[in-house]
Amino acid sequence: MSGRRHKGRILALQAMFELDAVGHAPAHSIDVLLEGLDPSTEVRRFALELVEGVLASRERIDEVIRETAPAFPLDQIAVVDRNVLRLAIYEILIDNKVPMRAAINEAIELAKEYGGENSPKFINGVLGSVSVLAAR
């Protein structure tokens, strides 16, 4: 299942990137991204669950980012990094279905794969602060 969950996180990140960058509806983006790939229903469902959860809690999540990365205005954080953080913060503070360490590790892996050179360090630093919030 972890491979499917990782694929779902990738799809969710890509859909959220599209929403952030050009305003495409996440469900449509996921369907377009999946064309011709024959993915399992579980992957699509998990990706949609993540995206819908992030969108429903976006104001709270963005406030957490502002609190834990005060030197970086939200609109100046790279789109990939911002959405990796949103996904991870949703999983850590709101969804609570995976262990915090797993959510952080997944976020760092996504940052390595899709972000810039400094993305993994940035994501790890912010999520380290988020983990302190979660422990309260």
Side-chain angles (χ1 to χ4, degrees), residues 2-69:
S2 63
R4 291 184 189 136
R5 292 178 71 83
H6 181 71
K7 289 177 185 174
R9 285 183 185 94
I10 291 169
L11 276 174
L13 175 62
Q14 291 171 330
M16 288 173 37
F17 181 93
E18 278 196 41
L19 176 65
D20 225 11
V22 293
H24 292 165
H28 174 72
S29 295
I30 288 171
D31 288 339
V32 169
L33 290 165
L34 291 175
E35 278 181 10
L37 296 180
D38 192 31
S40 73
T41 305
E42 291 175 57
V43 171
R44 184 183 187 284
R45 188 174 335 153
F46 181 60
L48 277 173
E49 177 185 314
L50 288 174
V51 171
E52 289 169 356
V54 168
L55 294 178
S57 303
R58 189 163 146 181
E59 285 182 37
R60 178 177 174 208
I61 292 168
D62 286 355
E63 185 56 37
V64 169
I65 296 171
R66 286 184 196 95
E67 286 176 33
T68 55

Side-chain angles (χ1 to χ4, degrees), residues 41-108:
T41 305
E42 291 175 57
V43 171
R44 184 183 187 284
R45 188 174 335 153
F46 181 60
L48 277 173
E49 177 185 314
L50 288 174
V51 171
E52 289 169 356
V54 168
L55 294 178
S57 303
R58 189 163 146 181
E59 285 182 37
R60 178 177 174 208
I61 292 168
D62 286 355
E63 185 56 37
V64 169
I65 296 171
R66 286 184 196 95
E67 286 176 33
T68 55
F72 301 92
L74 194 60
D75 63 340
Q76 292 180 15
I77 296 173
V79 177
V80 169
D81 294 354
R82 183 172 52 237
N83 285 296
V84 167
L85 287 171
R86 285 175 174 157
L87 280 170
I89 292 168
Y90 169 74
E91 287 198 278
I92 292 167
L93 296 179
I94 298 163
D95 192 42
N96 296 312
K97 290 182 183 172
V98 297
M100 183 184 327
R101 196 74 223 142
I104 292 171
N105 287 340
E106 276 288 315
I108 293 168

